[in-house]
Amino acid sequence: MMAVVVSPFWVLLLLLFSGFLGLLYRKLYRAAKSIRIDDYTLVSVCNVFTMSRLSLVTKLAYLFGITMPQLDRGRFLLFTATVDPAAAAQAPDDDVLTHGLSHDAMLAYVARGSRMQTLPATLIIAFSGGATNKIGVPRTEFLRTLNRAGSASAACDKLFVLDPTGMSFYTENMASFCATLRTVAAPYQRCVLLGNCMGATGALLCAPTLGLAPDSSVIAFNPVVEPSLCGPQQQLGFRIAALLKPVLCRGLRARLVAAVAESAPCRVRVHCSEWAPELRDARRLNEEEVVVGVDGEGRVAMGGGVGSGCRTRLVIHRGCTEHGMLGTHLRPSRALSIIVDDAVRYTHAVDD
């Protein structure tokens, strides 16, 4: 039997490298345990691209299995219907969080409102997309639309939620996350779950766990169904997630199809553009399709079977042939507000 001789140089090099990795891990661990949910500091990664410090730390912590309990409580931000919509909507992005109720205050408000029967009929739950952490986009991305003067959504309570990892599609600590959502949603007569991109995926996945009332709705804009097949203009983070978390991403489509089926009796509307990568992804949910356009008045949710008919439906927006459907089409035409208001006014009995 031959003995293997290892040079002392290589042994020393291996020890130094192991020590260096240990130092990096300890630094990451300390950062993961201390970082705040509202840390929007931007950092340059290898002088190649820029992302928020929160995104970088949470992604690495997620991959290395480091828990971040302080972020679990910071995933929730509730804006009550009694908050002055104008003040909240016009607040600077770095000040808008001061108008919302964080975890403990949110639970106290809901418990008190349930006891005194002072809550509005509808709670809108907005799931933040992946761009929230990547470039520091505020997680209250729908707030201005939801608070538009004269809209039905302005009279609703609005809960904004976040996936701090930006790549787990809301599956990280999903049981405790959905348990909190159930507690908050239970006293309301109706819930509207709303999300774009990864937020849409989160809304679809969480819907069947919340015990939603029949008058509730899920509105999902361009959900990510197959992360490994994302187009070149879609988020690089999703393709990286497919490489680093292959089991999660390979099973995502099956989980989404099952979640849509299990969301009964609430209504599900998946909206997508005609841009080939997004349309291909949305069609993997195998839902009945309807094609709609946006007229000069933004009338998109009315007619064409979008607002009524079968419980689940894929709504394809004609003329939107590029990435960024919300920003380029639905927000400017006010169609987004009309779609949400249609869900707020939706009554299950109408479709029976």
Side-chain angles (χ1 to χ4, degrees):
M1 185 175 179
M2 295 180 59
V4 178
V5 179
V6 180
S7 168
F9 170 78
W10 292 111
V11 172
L12 178 61
L13 188 62
L14 180 61
L15 290 175
L16 289 174
F17 184 67
S18 300
F20 176 69
L21 290 180
L23 288 174
L24 288 180
Y25 180 84
R26 284 194 291 274
K27 186 174 182 178
L28 172 62
Y29 185 89
R30 287 195 297 270
K33 295 297 183 180
S34 61
I35 197 166
R36 293 169 52 90
I37 198 74
D38 56 354
D39 188 342
Y40 292 126
T41 306
L42 297 180
V43 296
S44 176
V45 180
C46 301
N47 292 320
V48 176
F49 59 93
T50 300
M51 66 193 308
S52 74
R53 180 173 178 269
L54 174 66
S55 178
L56 180 62
V57 171
T58 52
K59 282 177 169 57
L60 290 174
Y62 170 61
L63 293 174
F64 282 95
I66 302 174
T67 60
M68 297 171 287
Q70 81 281 12
L71 295 192
D72 288 339
R73 297 169 66 86
R75 299 175 70 172
F76 306 90
L77 192 67
L78 178 70
F79 289 79
T80 69
T82 56
V83 170
D84 178 12
Q90 295 174 10
D93 290 340
D94 59 354
D95 183 53
V96 72
L97 301 183
T98 62
H99 295 274
L101 302 178
S102 56
H103 184 275
D104 292 348
M106 170 189 71
L107 293 178
Y109 164 80
V110 171
R112 183 173 61 253
S114 177
R115 187 171 60 253
M116 301 179 66
Q117 297 185 341
T118 57
L119 295 174
T122 303
L123 171 67
I124 299 174
I125 305 177
F127 290 71
S128 295
T132 300
N133 287 344
K134 180 183 176 185
I135 57 176
V137 176
R139 54 180 165 157
T140 51
E141 57 181 317
F142 291 104
L143 184 61
R144 287 168 174 78
T145 296
L146 298 179
N147 278 339
R148 189 174 65 83
S151 65
S153 58
C156 305
D157 284 351
K158 305 158 194 74
L159 173 60
F160 292 84
V161 297
L162 176 72
D163 176 0
T165 71
M167 61 191 300
S168 82
F169 304 97
Y170 285 85
T171 62
E172 177 75 352
N173 296 326
M174 189 174 181
S176 61
F177 173 67
C178 288
T180 301
L181 284 184
R182 279 195 302 273
T183 299
V184 176
Y188 293 87
Q189 299 174 28
R190 172 194 295 109
C191 289
V192 176
L193 275 58
L194 173 68
N196 179 47
C197 195
M198 188 190 75
T201 303
L204 292 171
L205 287 176
C206 293
T209 71
L210 303 185
L212 298 175
D215 290 349
S216 297
S217 296
V218 181
I219 308 172
F221 296 101
N222 289 323
V224 179
V225 180
E226 293 271 11
S228 61
L229 301 179
C230 283
Q233 289 177 261
Q234 291 169 293
Q235 290 197 43
L236 175 63
F238 297 150
R239 298 197 295 277
I240 294 176
L243 294 174
L244 299 178
K245 292 287 184 177
V247 175
L248 166 66
C249 292
R250 278 200 303 267
L252 191 59
R253 177 188 177 187
R255 291 181 66 170
L256 283 168
V257 171
V260 172
E262 294 166 5
S263 295
C266 75
R267 184 178 67 167
V268 177
R269 292 292 181 266
V270 177
H271 294 258
C272 77
S273 69
E274 288 187 312
W275 185 49
E278 291 174 340
L279 183 56
R280 264 196 317 269
D281 219 19
R283 280 178 166 162
R284 294 186 179 100
L285 293 174
N286 303 323
E287 298 302 327
E288 179 181 327
E289 297 180 8
V290 59
V291 180
V292 299
V294 178
D295 65 17
E297 300 298 322
R299 289 189 292 260
V300 66
M302 311 305 174
V306 179
S308 60
C310 65
R311 188 184 65 81
T312 64
R313 181 162 284 157
L314 171 61
V315 183
I316 304 169
H317 289 263
R318 183 175 59 248
C320 182
T321 58
E322 58 187 359
H323 183 54
M325 180 175 70
L326 285 184
T328 60
H329 284 68
L330 300 189
R331 278 198 179 100
S333 67
R334 291 194 172 180
L336 175 59
S337 183
I338 291 175
I339 291 169
V340 175
D341 282 359
D342 173 68
V344 170
R345 298 188 181 102
Y346 169 68
T347 302
H348 177 66
V350 173
D351 287 349
D352 289 342

